Amino acid sequence: MGFVSQDWMFSSAILVLVLMLVMSVPPCSSTASKNTENNVKTTVYLSPKIELSPGFISNKIYYDVEFPKGHVALKSFQAELVDESGNSVPLQETYLHHWIVLRYRQPKNATNQTGIIIERNDGVCQGDTVDETFGRGAETRGTNPYIPDPYGLEIGNPSNIQEGYDEKWIINVLAIDTRGVEDRVGCYECRCDLYNHTSINAFTGEPLTPSYKGGLGCCPDNAQCRMKKGFWGPKNTLYLKYTIKWVNWDEFVIPVKIYLLDVTDHLKISYNYKSTGMSIKHTCKTEYQVKPCNKSHVGGCVDVKRASVPINTAGYIVYGVAHQHVGAIRSTLYGQDGRVICNSFPTYGTGMEAGNEKGFVVGMSACYPKPGSVKLFDGEILTAEALYNNSIEHTGVMGHFYILVAEKLPHHHV
Ligand SMILES: *[C@@H]1O[C@H](CO)[C@@H](O)[C@H](O)[C@H]1NC(C)=O
Ligand SMILES: *[C@@H]1O[C@H](CO)[C@@H](O)[C@H](O)[C@H]1NC(C)=O
Ligand SMILES: *[C@@H]1O[C@H](CO)[C@@H](O)[C@H](O)[C@H]1NC(C)=O
Ligand SMILES: *[C@@H]1O[C@H](CO)[C@@H](O)[C@H](O)[C@H]1NC(C)=O
Ligand SMILES: *[C@@H]1O[C@H](CO)[C@@H](O)[C@H](O)[C@H]1NC(C)=O
């Protein structure tokens, strides 16, 4: 079940607010747009209980979680780990490796998960990796995305749901309790030698090889990271608290598509001139390893990983952000002509409090291009690039670029 994998992304709240103000001023008086801001509804939900003893991992899938009902347009999705009193839990106590939100269809009246269909995002990976609608990791609190008006992510459209099915939502949370552990960084980088899970790669289901040093494969549910001798702490009960902003769907909302590029994507292109012509197979590994650089290396210790993949729609980028782990320097998305479409930079915490934890990536900056200013053409090859500081080795890092693309602009009347 590869979709147990991802984490995720997004931006600085202040930037979002500033840009929302800028963007709510229409560039020209447009009859096809309407200010939806006043109609935005906010709903706050809690996931099922997440119970964690010191050093343990919780990596569970929650089916049929609460979500706004009906035909609506999502405007934002924010989440964080809270304790039973509703207080934010800092990352040095419980590391939020990732949460992901996935859309699926379930046969009506089903009593179990037999026959469900996962509804991937719009691309470009394939199979059951990097398929989420939303997702992020430790940087969640400092990355508060907002889909600017008049755009929205359409959900619950009855005409898009097959007869006999209901639309539902999965949340997967991977949380790592690092109270009393021997090596906190190693635990949240899921280093195999620190976990009591040794034979099967929990992510791919294949045997673990010595060359695989760490990552999702060594972070299954209920594994425990190596502890300091004699440490004792109580079992904590936590929740993923998630806040969704949304508006009722109407003709003025312009739907966005979600593209999620992974720097580990390897393309296999095959040609069949008799049928459809070219076919492209993506292999997205979700995560990778950053080898330590050689001390003698000139120009600094920077690991660069890139993937170039074609996008199968024309449109305009309305939002972009990367997801990276500790060690991140930046991520960049380039157009086919080499132009920079979006830079996303990490913010590192400097204190102890939730949202500003020293040594952690506590936010990723996002891009909100002026509507219409960043156009993609159908088939355009985009390049996602992730830079890590490899003065030390990192295991299980990610380089994902998440973009929202609108196929039309507000002034294109229907
Ligand atoms: C689901 O159950 C309801 C009530 O029991 C029934 O009316 C309906 O026909 C069922 N739907 C399907 C697809 O089986
Ligand atoms: C799931 O439910 C269906 C009927 O609703 C049943 O036939 C099937 O055996 C169940 N599968 C499991 C694994 O329980
Ligand atoms: C890891 O060890 C703990 C106890 O030390 C045990 O409860 C847990 O089941 C083990 N997990 C795995 C995946 O082996
Ligand atoms: C460091 O140098 C060794 C020996 O030249 C080489 O095998 C290794 O790949 C280098 N490591 C990196 C990260 O470049
Ligand atoms: C990488 O990290 C090391 C250790 O923290 C630091 O000294 C170095 O300046 C960093 N390099 C870059 C390119 O950020």
Side-chain angles (χ1 to χ4, degrees):
M1 291 221 271
F3 61 76
V4 208
S5 59
Q6 287 52 281
D7 0 345
W8 252 196
M9 16 192 91
F10 301 52
S11 153
S12 140
I14 292 165
L15 182 65
V16 176
L17 284 173
V18 170
L19 284 155
M20 277 170 62
L21 291 175
V22 172
M23 291 176 135
S24 61
V25 180
C28 55
S29 62
S30 158
T31 50
S33 72
K34 186 182 72 168
N35 188 354
T36 50
E37 253 165 68
N38 299 332
N39 307 317
V40 174
K41 298 174 181 67
T42 301
T43 330
V44 181
Y45 304 99
L46 291 181
S47 73
K49 264 185 199 178
I50 299 170
E51 296 199 308
L52 281 166
S53 293
F56 274 83
I57 286 184
S58 175
N59 185 1
K60 293 190 166 60
I61 298 169
Y62 306 106
Y63 290 94
D64 195 13
V65 296
E66 288 187 284
F67 230 73
K69 296 264 182 270
H71 189 186
V72 310
L74 301 184
K75 301 294 288 181
S76 87
F77 191 109
Q78 181 59 309
E80 67 161 335
L81 281 180
V82 297
D83 64 18
E84 281 187 297
S85 319
N87 300 316
S88 302
V89 178
L91 293 167
Q92 64 270 11
E93 188 171 311
T94 308
Y95 181 70
L96 181 55
H97 184 281
H98 70 253
W99 54 267
I100 60 173
V101 176
L102 270 175
R103 190 200 308 235
Y104 71 106
R105 315 280 191 220
Q106 183 172 40
K108 282 186 192 295
N109 299 351
T111 55
N112 58 38
Q113 271 66 54
T114 306
I116 67 168
I117 302 165
I118 302 288
E119 296 284 316
R120 300 188 48 91
N121 53 46
D122 297 285
V124 292
C125 294
Q126 293 165 326
D128 55 2
T129 60
V130 204
D131 46 5
E132 64 267 23
T133 300
F134 299 105
R136 253 174 288 160
E139 77 276 30
T140 294
R141 289 190 181 100
T143 314
N144 195 2
Y146 194 85
I147 304 177
D149 287 338
Y151 307 102
L153 184 72
E154 184 179 20
I155 69 165
N157 181 349
S159 61
N160 290 343
I161 304 169
Q162 306 89 309
E163 189 72 28
Y165 284 80
D166 292 320
E167 182 173 275
K168 298 199 171 178
W169 297 85
I170 284 170
I171 291 184
N172 164 232
V173 181
L174 199 176
I176 305 176
D177 189 312
T178 62
R179 290 175 292 161
V181 297
E182 222 174 65
D183 176 353
R184 177 167 284 143
V185 174
C187 293
Y188 69 66
E189 288 197 342
C190 294
R191 263 183 30 209
C192 298
D193 59 347
L194 294 171
Y195 283 93
N196 62 349
H197 178 86
T198 50
S199 54
I200 299 290
N201 182 313
F203 184 51
T204 62
E206 285 158 14
L208 273 182
T209 58
S211 65
Y212 184 81
K213 298 266 177 56
L216 290 161
C218 286
C219 266
D221 189 36
N222 205 34
Q224 190 181 24
C225 205
R226 197 186 304 149
M227 301 293 292
K228 287 178 191 153
K229 278 213 172 60
F231 182 88
W232 183 90
K235 184 181 272 186
N236 279 348
T237 299
L238 311 177
Y239 301 87
L240 187 78
K241 172 181 157 191
Y242 55 104
T243 304
I244 303 179
K245 292 193 192 310
W246 52 281
V247 295
N248 286 319
W249 185 264
D250 66 33
E251 66 197 281
F252 303 108
V253 181
I254 300 178
V256 292
K257 291 187 155 187
I258 301 167
Y259 289 93
L260 191 40
L261 283 71
D262 180 352
V263 296
T264 68
D265 196 345
H266 281 286
L267 298 187
K268 277 203 191 105
I269 301 176
S270 50
Y271 296 92
N272 182 339
Y273 296 103
K274 284 188 181 149
S275 59
T276 52
M278 191 173 76
S279 85
I280 297 175
K281 193 171 177 295
H282 296 263
T283 309
C284 299
K285 290 180 159 1
T286 307
E287 59 174 16
Y288 62 105
Q289 201 163 320
V290 170
K291 292 206 177 77
C293 74
N294 289 310
K295 291 276 179 283
S296 59
H297 191 77
V298 281
C301 285
V302 180
D303 178 88
V304 181
K305 204 166 176 68
R306 294 188 188 97
S308 295
V309 293
I311 286 288
N312 59 4
T313 191
Y316 303 90
I317 295 193
V318 301
Y319 178 76
V321 74
H323 166 67
Q324 290 187 274
H325 291 187
V326 167
I329 296 171
R330 70 163 157 83
S331 269
T332 303
L333 185 67
Y334 299 93
Q336 188 163 336
D337 57 1
R339 72 195 188 282
V340 172
I341 289 177
C342 177
N343 270 313
S344 185
F345 293 97
T347 305
Y348 286 88
T350 55
M352 289 295 283
E353 69 279 17
N356 184 35
E357 300 91 336
K358 191 175 167 61
F360 292 90
V361 174
V362 296
M364 291 292 297
S365 68
C367 299
Y368 289 86
K370 192 169 161 289
S373 66
V374 181
K375 188 174 193 308
L376 305 178
F377 60 85
D378 190 3
E380 177 157 2
I381 294 170
L382 302 182
T383 298
E385 176 183 79
L387 271 57
Y388 275 91
N389 182 337
N390 64 347
S391 61
I392 56 165
E393 179 180 50
H394 295 286
T395 60
V397 303
M398 299 191 182
H400 296 175
F401 223 105
Y402 181 99
I403 53 174
L404 296 176
V405 177
E407 289 180 335
K408 56 177 188 163
L409 291 171
H411 56 265
H412 291 177
H413 296 255
V414 210

